[in-house]
Amino acid sequence: MQEEKITTVRLILGDQLHYGHSWYKHVDSGNLYVLMEVKEEAAYVVHHAQKVIGIFAAMYNFSTYLRKRGHRVLHLLLDDPRNKQSITANLDWLMVATGARRLEYQLPDEYRLDEVLKQFAQKAPYAVVAVDTEHFLTTREAFTEIFGERKQYLMETFYRKMRQQYQVLLQDNQPLGGKWNYDHDNRKAFKGEADVPPPLGLQHNYSTIWQAITSSGIVTIGAPRAECFDWPTTRKEALCVLDYFVKALLPHFGMYQDAMHTRFAFLFHSRLSFALNIKLIGPLEVIRKVEAEHHQFPERVGLEQAEGFIRQVLGWREYVRGLYWKRMPVFGQENYFNHQGQLPKWYWTGETKMNCLKHAISQTMEHAYAHHIQRLMVTGNFALLAGVHPDEVDKWYLGVYIDAFEWVELPNTRGMSQYADGGVLGSKPYVSAAAYIDKMSNYCKSCFYAKSLRYGDRACPFNSLYWNFYLQHYELLKGNHRIAMMIKLVDKIEESEGQKIRQQANHYLENIDTL
Ligand code: FAD
Ligand code: DLZ
Ligand code: SF4
């Protein structure tokens, strides 16, 4: 029997694996679905091995799913001789080879690819149509609709609007429990008060995929863990991770959200970001599940645990995306403090005597994962205090985490963590000396450096670097009322003390690779 003619090619990017997308509701053999493993996408930054394996495996599983549903699929593998290793170069030959007269793609989440595909469409001699990914709860334009043309965009304003729009944790349109935000209850250090459940333990053997990646010459970092790959790569598995989260981890999630511990890389975190970002699972189903668990078992899953989680997904996740589309491409070039430094070499190995950084970086290399406070208050904090160029910091974060895609990585890194936007996202720089890290973790207890010393060979580098940061950027920070107390303390620093701080900080900065 002759195969039906292909009329439309539908492109699916590696982070667009949305099983419920309306594209797949009806089978039409005139449509060819195309997924491509390409070196170009694996090379715009050096990615963690698990990120590349995870994306390729999830693409493979998604292709299999579509085929089983009766759809026509071309999954272009890395070593396919036809593969030109670039999305647009592949589209060029594919459109000719199939004779299709129409190309459809889902709106990319990343500015770079969005521009590439827009330009490609302008030149194409056939119809090109972009459709929504049907994944997010807000549109790219949400920020302008909510905030107009303001200079600052408060997450809390955005979050409340989202709660109302989607009727989440509300009663008579008012927040359940009388408060919108239980942030103050989300800051407990973990001292072993509860058992930390072991990771769910998905076990895949993806060594064939890993072999193909290495043979193709793609450069990666970090441990592949290909034979015991434990990130979800199908929708079914993503749902298992969600299930495990609400049953085993959510009861303690909010409380220990900011805690860090040498023995537990994941603590009570969901590890859902990868599945969410490649769209195996949707934000609303995650939110509804957590909300339902709270309603059904309020004793076990207190409001502060549920709200603490929902705020991240309904609030922060949608908020950073809105800000990304509002502020790109300028956002990606900002450098408020004019920092020019390089990342210390040990950011790639974890080989440093600074225990907090050693743990946060080593687990990043081992699991392609660190939780929010490790990213913000350990690695991000240090990079900002050390004056590293935001481009370098962005590149690192975009590469090392399995969940890193620019729309979410860049606002968090350049905006929240590095304050390179001068305070559009966050109202003050997230910097701290050792005291905060000590309060929220057990890292300092077994550290080579002394958390309470500011001067000397054993002084914790965070301490002098912290005060040095305020002295160095005094003019840029003195008008910020959120840090008025700090500025008062800086004003009290005598000239001789200031010199000692600078000396100690400069000594550390000059020897940064050996800290
Ligand atoms: P949980 O702690 O269980 O939180 C639940 C979910 O909330 C996450 O899965 C995520 O989807 C969402 N969420 C939580 N915080 C944020 C946030 N600040 N912004 C957006 N979504 C959030 N997240 C990414 O998904 N990709 C990134 O590339 C990324 N880069 C970051 C870089 C820096 C410097 C910082 C400070 C944060 C970054 N985050 C990023 C946010 C956050 O650290 C991760 O979403 C979280 O650690 C993922 O682990 P989890 O799924 O166990 O999260
Ligand atoms: C990150 C990534 C990698 C490593 N490889 C591919 C790939 O081979 N094919 C593909 O379609 N997508 C890949 N991706 C994801 C994209 O680079 C890109 O980050 C997202 O589509 C932007 O949101
Ligand atoms: Fe980190 Fe300083 Fe604590 Fe060591 S003493 S773990 S370097 S904060």
Side-chain angles (χ1 to χ4, degrees), residues 173-187:
N173 228 24
Q174 289 306 308
L176 218 58
K179 277 203 304 185
W180 287 100
N181 187 315
Y182 289 82
D183 199 20
H184 279 284
D185 299 313
N186 298 156
R187 296 176 187 166

PDB file of all heavy atoms in Angstrom, residues 173-187:
ATOM      1  N   ASN A 173     -12.537  33.562  47.541  1.00  0.00           N
ATOM      2  CA  ASN A 173     -11.557  34.438  46.877  1.00  0.00           C
ATOM      3  C   ASN A 173     -10.497  35.016  47.816  1.00  0.00           C
ATOM      4  O   ASN A 173      -9.733  35.906  47.447  1.00  0.00           O
ATOM      5  CB  ASN A 173     -12.267  35.568  46.126  1.00  0.00           C
ATOM      6  CG  ASN A 173     -11.712  35.706  44.722  1.00  0.00           C
ATOM      7  OD1 ASN A 173     -11.167  34.735  44.173  1.00  0.00           O
ATOM      8  ND2 ASN A 173     -11.796  36.887  44.168  1.00  0.00           N
ATOM      9  N   GLN A 174     -10.449  34.529  49.033  1.00  0.00           N
ATOM     10  CA  GLN A 174      -9.428  34.973  49.991  1.00  0.00           C
ATOM     11  C   GLN A 174      -8.478  33.802  50.269  1.00  0.00           C
ATOM     12  O   GLN A 174      -8.871  32.645  50.168  1.00  0.00           O
ATOM     13  CB  GLN A 174     -10.089  35.427  51.303  1.00  0.00           C
ATOM     14  CG  GLN A 174     -10.844  36.737  51.187  1.00  0.00           C
ATOM     15  CD  GLN A 174      -9.983  37.853  50.614  1.00  0.00           C
ATOM     16  OE1 GLN A 174      -8.887  38.121  51.099  1.00  0.00           O
ATOM     17  NE2 GLN A 174     -10.459  38.494  49.538  1.00  0.00           N
ATOM     18  N   PRO A 175      -7.221  34.116  50.635  1.00  0.00           N
ATOM     19  CA  PRO A 175      -6.261  33.019  50.835  1.00  0.00           C
ATOM     20  C   PRO A 175      -6.666  32.118  52.000  1.00  0.00           C
ATOM     21  O   PRO A 175      -7.053  32.617  53.062  1.00  0.00           O
ATOM     22  CB  PRO A 175      -4.955  33.752  51.147  1.00  0.00           C
ATOM     23  CG  PRO A 175      -5.351  35.100  51.610  1.00  0.00           C
ATOM     24  CD  PRO A 175      -6.628  35.431  50.892  1.00  0.00           C
ATOM     25  N   LEU A 176      -6.540  30.845  51.766  1.00  0.00           N
ATOM     26  CA  LEU A 176      -6.818  29.861  52.808  1.00  0.00           C
ATOM     27  C   LEU A 176      -5.906  30.142  54.011  1.00  0.00           C
ATOM     28  O   LEU A 176      -4.720  30.416  53.832  1.00  0.00           O
ATOM     29  CB  LEU A 176      -6.492  28.471  52.237  1.00  0.00           C
ATOM     30  CG  LEU A 176      -7.391  27.317  52.604  1.00  0.00           C
ATOM     31  CD1 LEU A 176      -8.828  27.598  52.192  1.00  0.00           C
ATOM     32  CD2 LEU A 176      -6.896  26.060  51.902  1.00  0.00           C
ATOM     33  N   GLY A 177      -6.443  30.099  55.203  1.00  0.00           N
ATOM     34  CA  GLY A 177      -5.642  30.322  56.399  1.00  0.00           C
ATOM     35  C   GLY A 177      -5.403  31.793  56.684  1.00  0.00           C
ATOM     36  O   GLY A 177      -4.751  32.151  57.667  1.00  0.00           O
ATOM     37  N   GLY A 178      -5.880  32.663  55.820  1.00  0.00           N
ATOM     38  CA  GLY A 178      -5.799  34.108  56.069  1.00  0.00           C
ATOM     39  C   GLY A 178      -4.525  34.779  55.589  1.00  0.00           C
ATOM     40  O   GLY A 178      -4.418  36.001  55.626  1.00  0.00           O
ATOM     41  N   LYS A 179      -3.556  34.005  55.150  1.00  0.00           N
ATOM     42  CA  LYS A 179      -2.293  34.608  54.683  1.00  0.00           C
ATOM     43  C   LYS A 179      -1.983  34.103  53.270  1.00  0.00           C
ATOM     44  O   LYS A 179      -2.197  32.936  52.961  1.00  0.00           O
ATOM     45  CB  LYS A 179      -1.136  34.184  55.597  1.00  0.00           C
ATOM     46  CG  LYS A 179      -0.998  35.018  56.852  1.00  0.00           C
ATOM     47  CD  LYS A 179       0.418  34.988  57.440  1.00  0.00           C
ATOM     48  CE  LYS A 179       0.951  33.607  57.745  1.00  0.00           C
ATOM     49  NZ  LYS A 179       2.261  33.644  58.411  1.00  0.00           N
ATOM     50  N   TRP A 180      -1.434  34.986  52.452  1.00  0.00           N
ATOM     51  CA  TRP A 180      -1.081  34.587  51.089  1.00  0.00           C
ATOM     52  C   TRP A 180       0.216  33.778  51.067  1.00  0.00           C
ATOM     53  O   TRP A 180       0.445  32.976  50.176  1.00  0.00           O
ATOM     54  CB  TRP A 180      -0.883  35.822  50.192  1.00  0.00           C
ATOM     55  CG  TRP A 180      -2.149  36.520  49.833  1.00  0.00           C
ATOM     56  CD1 TRP A 180      -2.653  37.645  50.417  1.00  0.00           C
ATOM     57  CD2 TRP A 180      -3.081  36.150  48.805  1.00  0.00           C
ATOM     58  NE1 TRP A 180      -3.832  37.994  49.823  1.00  0.00           N
ATOM     59  CE2 TRP A 180      -4.120  37.099  48.820  1.00  0.00           C
ATOM     60  CE3 TRP A 180      -3.143  35.124  47.871  1.00  0.00           C
ATOM     61  CZ2 TRP A 180      -5.207  37.051  47.944  1.00  0.00           C
ATOM     62  CZ3 TRP A 180      -4.215  35.072  46.990  1.00  0.00           C
ATOM     63  CH2 TRP A 180      -5.239  36.022  47.024  1.00  0.00           C
ATOM     64  N   ASN A 181       1.053  34.026  52.036  1.00  0.00           N
ATOM     65  CA  ASN A 181       2.427  33.590  51.909  1.00  0.00           C
ATOM     66  C   ASN A 181       2.959  33.106  53.264  1.00  0.00           C
ATOM     67  O   ASN A 181       2.891  33.850  54.252  1.00  0.00           O
ATOM     68  CB  ASN A 181       3.205  34.832  51.451  1.00  0.00           C
ATOM     69  CG  ASN A 181       4.616  34.541  51.107  1.00  0.00           C
ATOM     70  OD1 ASN A 181       5.293  33.833  51.830  1.00  0.00           O
ATOM     71  ND2 ASN A 181       5.070  35.105  50.008  1.00  0.00           N
ATOM     72  N   TYR A 182       3.480  31.880  53.286  1.00  0.00           N
ATOM     73  CA  TYR A 182       4.007  31.329  54.539  1.00  0.00           C
ATOM     74  C   TYR A 182       5.538  31.229  54.506  1.00  0.00           C
ATOM     75  O   TYR A 182       6.127  30.353  55.132  1.00  0.00           O
ATOM     76  CB  TYR A 182       3.362  29.958  54.822  1.00  0.00           C
ATOM     77  CG  TYR A 182       1.909  30.108  55.216  1.00  0.00           C
ATOM     78  CD1 TYR A 182       0.933  30.260  54.233  1.00  0.00           C
ATOM     79  CD2 TYR A 182       1.519  30.171  56.544  1.00  0.00           C
ATOM     80  CE1 TYR A 182      -0.403  30.461  54.570  1.00  0.00           C
ATOM     81  CE2 TYR A 182       0.193  30.361  56.894  1.00  0.00           C
ATOM     82  CZ  TYR A 182      -0.758  30.504  55.902  1.00  0.00           C
ATOM     83  OH  TYR A 182      -2.075  30.706  56.244  1.00  0.00           O
ATOM     84  N   ASP A 183       6.124  32.174  53.798  1.00  0.00           N
ATOM     85  CA  ASP A 183       7.576  32.198  53.628  1.00  0.00           C
ATOM     86  C   ASP A 183       8.316  32.110  54.969  1.00  0.00           C
ATOM     87  O   ASP A 183       9.345  31.447  55.096  1.00  0.00           O
ATOM     88  CB  ASP A 183       7.960  33.484  52.883  1.00  0.00           C
ATOM     89  CG  ASP A 183       9.338  33.386  52.260  1.00  0.00           C
ATOM     90  OD1 ASP A 183       9.810  32.246  52.085  1.00  0.00           O
ATOM     91  OD2 ASP A 183       9.935  34.423  51.960  1.00  0.00           O
ATOM     92  N   HIS A 184       7.772  32.787  55.976  1.00  0.00           N
ATOM     93  CA  HIS A 184       8.457  32.801  57.274  1.00  0.00           C
ATOM     94  C   HIS A 184       8.521  31.424  57.920  1.00  0.00           C
ATOM     95  O   HIS A 184       9.379  31.161  58.748  1.00  0.00           O
ATOM     96  CB  HIS A 184       7.788  33.798  58.228  1.00  0.00           C
ATOM     97  CG  HIS A 184       8.259  35.186  57.952  1.00  0.00           C
ATOM     98  ND1 HIS A 184       9.496  35.632  58.342  1.00  0.00           N
ATOM     99  CD2 HIS A 184       7.688  36.193  57.267  1.00  0.00           C
ATOM    100  CE1 HIS A 184       9.671  36.873  57.916  1.00  0.00           C
ATOM    101  NE2 HIS A 184       8.580  37.239  57.261  1.00  0.00           N
ATOM    102  N   ASP A 185       7.598  30.541  57.505  1.00  0.00           N
ATOM    103  CA  ASP A 185       7.608  29.187  58.069  1.00  0.00           C
ATOM    104  C   ASP A 185       8.446  28.241  57.215  1.00  0.00           C
ATOM    105  O   ASP A 185       8.458  27.039  57.443  1.00  0.00           O
ATOM    106  CB  ASP A 185       6.174  28.649  58.163  1.00  0.00           C
ATOM    107  CG  ASP A 185       5.330  29.525  59.062  1.00  0.00           C
ATOM    108  OD1 ASP A 185       5.806  29.863  60.153  1.00  0.00           O
ATOM    109  OD2 ASP A 185       4.212  29.899  58.651  1.00  0.00           O
ATOM    110  N   ASN A 186       9.112  28.780  56.219  1.00  0.00           N
ATOM    111  CA  ASN A 186       9.870  27.937  55.286  1.00  0.00           C
ATOM    112  C   ASN A 186      11.377  28.056  55.499  1.00  0.00           C
ATOM    113  O   ASN A 186      12.152  27.879  54.578  1.00  0.00           O
ATOM    114  CB  ASN A 186       9.564  28.331  53.818  1.00  0.00           C
ATOM    115  CG  ASN A 186       8.116  28.151  53.416  1.00  0.00           C
ATOM    116  OD1 ASN A 186       7.639  28.793  52.501  1.00  0.00           O
ATOM    117  ND2 ASN A 186       7.393  27.277  54.092  1.00  0.00           N
ATOM    118  N   ARG A 187      11.791  28.417  56.681  1.00  0.00           N
ATOM    119  CA  ARG A 187      13.220  28.723  56.852  1.00  0.00           C
ATOM    120  C   ARG A 187      13.874  27.959  57.983  1.00  0.00           C
ATOM    121  O   ARG A 187      14.727  28.482  58.680  1.00  0.00           O
ATOM    122  CB  ARG A 187      13.381  30.225  57.116  1.00  0.00           C
ATOM    123  CG  ARG A 187      12.932  31.057  55.953  1.00  0.00           C
ATOM    124  CD  ARG A 187      12.998  32.508  56.274  1.00  0.00           C
ATOM    125  NE  ARG A 187      12.403  33.296  55.196  1.00  0.00           N
ATOM    126  CZ  ARG A 187      12.076  34.563  55.310  1.00  0.00           C
ATOM    127  NH1 ARG A 187      12.276  35.200  56.453  1.00  0.00           N
ATOM    128  NH2 ARG A 187      11.550  35.217  54.299  1.00  0.00           N
TER     129      ARG A 187
END
